[in-house]
Amino acid sequence: MPRQAQACEGDPVNQDWEDRVTAAWATFDDYAEEDAADFRAVIDKLVAELPEGSPLGPFEQACAWDSTGHSDQAVPLYREALARGLDGHKGRRAKIQLSSSLRNIGQAEEGVKLLTPELDAPSDELDDAVRGFLALCLSSLGRDREGLSLVLGALAPHLPRYQRSMANYARLLVEPEE
């Protein structure tokens, strides 16, 4: 019997299904731009196997639309996945990707509202992505100093030297010197 994995709270998913989704995404770069619909069809076929109401379906479909250059088609699907209760790691990914898509369709302010609370979320490997995409949304709104501050603050811990200086410079971009 296949092992069960918890993809999001209350939504047990067969590990085999997760593995097949991962394998499908591993082939994404094999599709030419003109074959984008074929890739989305692969994802749609996998989504059709999910229980009705699963938040994973619209999430995977949103990712497929987004990755094939259709942010406008992805936005409502990300929203649906989150409304259905997508949480945890994939929920955070959905917020990051939705914010990016919102920015792409001229709704950067909504992206800022969505990602700003993620700055205070429990830390994980997506922290720098949150800051990077929030910085892009801020830049689209003409708030470049805030965006640069976020990016430099995210960069600082990764530097072999100058971490403290970089973090201070990042802070000073948005806080006045005393």
Side-chain angles (χ1 to χ4, degrees):
M1 179 172 201
R3 188 177 64 157
Q4 296 289 308
Q6 281 301 101
C8 53
E9 216 154 3
D11 189 17
V13 174
N14 181 298
Q15 186 62 47
D16 175 65
W17 184 87
E18 286 284 349
D19 292 344
R20 289 185 289 127
V21 167
T22 299
W25 279 102
T27 68
F28 178 74
D29 289 334
D30 297 340
Y31 288 84
E33 193 172 320
E34 61 271 9
D35 299 327
D38 294 337
F39 177 76
R40 291 191 305 268
V42 168
I43 297 300
D44 288 343
K45 184 176 177 185
L46 288 162
V47 165
E49 298 175 22
L50 291 169
E52 186 174 330
S54 170
L56 293 173
F59 173 69
E60 292 297 340
Q61 290 171 317
C63 293
W65 280 106
D66 213 358
S67 296
T68 58
H70 296 278
S71 294
D72 59 326
Q73 298 292 319
V75 165
L77 292 164
Y78 286 132
R79 286 185 174 142
E80 182 180 349
L82 291 166
R84 287 184 183 184
L86 189 67
D87 60 5
H89 185 75
K90 287 189 180 183
R92 197 165 198 216
R93 281 183 51 207
K95 290 174 188 175
I96 292 166
Q97 293 167 207
L98 172 56
S99 294
S100 176
S101 293
L102 287 165
R103 177 183 164 273
N104 289 341
I105 62 170
Q107 296 175 20
E109 185 66 44
E110 192 175 343
V112 169
K113 289 177 185 173
L114 188 63
L115 281 185
T116 299
E118 290 298 310
L119 294 173
D120 297 322
S123 183
D124 65 15
E125 69 274 7
L126 295 174
D127 289 352
D128 292 342
V130 167
R131 285 167 177 74
F133 283 99
L134 179 53
L136 287 168
C137 288
L138 289 167
S139 180
S140 290
L141 296 171
R143 295 164 58 186
D144 295 320
R145 287 180 70 86
E146 288 174 78
L148 180 58
S149 175
L150 283 169
V151 171
L152 291 177
L155 172 65
H158 302 285
L159 297 174
R161 297 185 58 88
Y162 315 111
Q163 297 92 350
R164 188 179 341 173
S165 296
M166 190 65 68
N168 283 333
Y169 289 137
R171 181 181 49 78
L172 290 173
L173 282 167
V174 292
E175 292 179 11
E177 285 192 66
E178 297 177 7

